[in-house]
Amino acid sequence: MFNADLLINALTTLLVTLDPPGLAPIFLSLTVGLSRQERFQVATRGSMIAFFILAAFALFGDGILGLLGISIGAFRIAGGLLLFWISFEMIFERRQERKEKTGEVAVTKDHIHNIAVFPLALPLIAGPGAISATILLGSSFPSVTDRVQLLVVIAASMVLLFLALVISERIDRFLGVTGRAILTRLLGVILAALAVQFVLDGVRSAFLA
């Protein structure tokens, strides 16, 4: 059944977790020396790989949890706490520093040959936070039709992220240091609220189980 509120909540959760504006300057630093066409290819490949990773967890994440004997309530609590930590990092600008260090290590070791796979697709796009959020959202889309809608939401998120990477130079110039700091903190507060909601839902389902 189509639920606009649920879909908007899922899209908001994914976009805030993925943080396209925050990833744009890191993408620029990773692709220094590449032409615009080469950057386009890296952004395309990285976004597609990240989509398939998140889609796999959206479809089979709850099944994996079942095999491990982990209830969805417990994972909601754990995932919510993880997302809350990420929001804490965003508010105090620690996440950006960690992502930049990840990018620097990758460039030093492998230069630019496999940037689309590592570190762009994994872990910068499809990182622990995005994977946790995807599995958590999957529990709210139980039927086959619902899962298709979730896949569409993930695809839409990846398209928006891809567009942000393609125009990363313009975004970086437009926002500047101050703009990025304000936007990151604002998104961090929103993610913190979503994370608390995940924890509350997990506690509620644990007591009702």
Side-chain angles (χ1 to χ4, degrees):
M1 182 180 294
F2 181 81
N3 189 326
D5 291 338
L6 192 60
L7 292 175
I8 292 173
N9 179 67
L11 183 62
T12 303
T13 301
L14 284 174
L15 286 178
V16 171
T17 307
L18 293 170
D19 187 19
L23 193 57
I26 299 172
F27 176 74
L28 285 177
S29 67
L30 287 173
T31 55
V32 170
L34 297 184
S35 66
R36 182 171 296 180
Q37 183 178 2
E38 288 170 332
R39 278 181 174 165
F40 182 85
Q41 292 173 353
V42 171
T44 302
R45 188 180 180 198
S47 300
M48 289 182 64
I49 293 172
F51 167 75
F52 286 115
I53 292 172
L54 295 181
F57 278 100
L59 294 174
F60 308 113
D62 51 355
I64 295 173
L65 293 179
L67 290 175
L68 296 175
I70 301 173
S71 68
I72 192 61
F75 191 83
R76 277 178 176 167
I77 295 173
L81 292 175
L82 175 61
L83 293 179
F84 187 82
W85 174 252
I86 291 175
S87 70
F88 177 85
E89 289 185 324
M90 291 173 69
I91 293 171
F92 293 97
E93 289 214 330
R94 295 183 180 179
R95 192 185 189 205
Q96 194 77 2
E97 294 175 6
R98 176 165 52 81
K99 282 188 172 184
E100 288 171 355
K101 288 179 181 178
T102 302
E104 289 170 3
V105 171
V107 172
T108 301
K109 290 185 176 180
D110 301 320
H111 200 48
I112 60 173
H113 300 294
N114 297 311
I115 287 176
V117 180
F118 177 83
L120 184 58
L122 189 72
L124 291 180
I125 299 178
I131 291 173
S132 299
T134 301
I135 297 177
L136 288 170
L137 292 171
S139 64
S140 301
F141 294 82
S143 69
V144 175
T145 305
D146 291 338
R147 289 298 168 92
V148 171
Q149 294 180 32
L150 179 57
L151 291 180
V152 172
V153 170
I154 295 173
S157 302
M158 285 300 116
V159 169
L160 293 174
L161 178 66
F162 166 75
L163 293 176
L165 297 182
V166 170
I167 60 172
S168 54
E169 292 183 45
R170 297 180 183 178
I171 292 177
D172 193 45
R173 285 199 304 266
F174 176 75
L175 291 177
V177 177
T178 303
R180 286 199 307 269
I182 294 173
L183 184 61
T184 298
R185 284 176 169 82
L186 179 60
L187 293 176
V189 172
I190 295 174
L191 183 59
L194 291 169
V196 171
Q197 188 61 54
F198 278 131
V199 173
L200 292 175
D201 291 341
V203 172
R204 188 180 299 113
S205 62
F207 277 106
L208 293 177

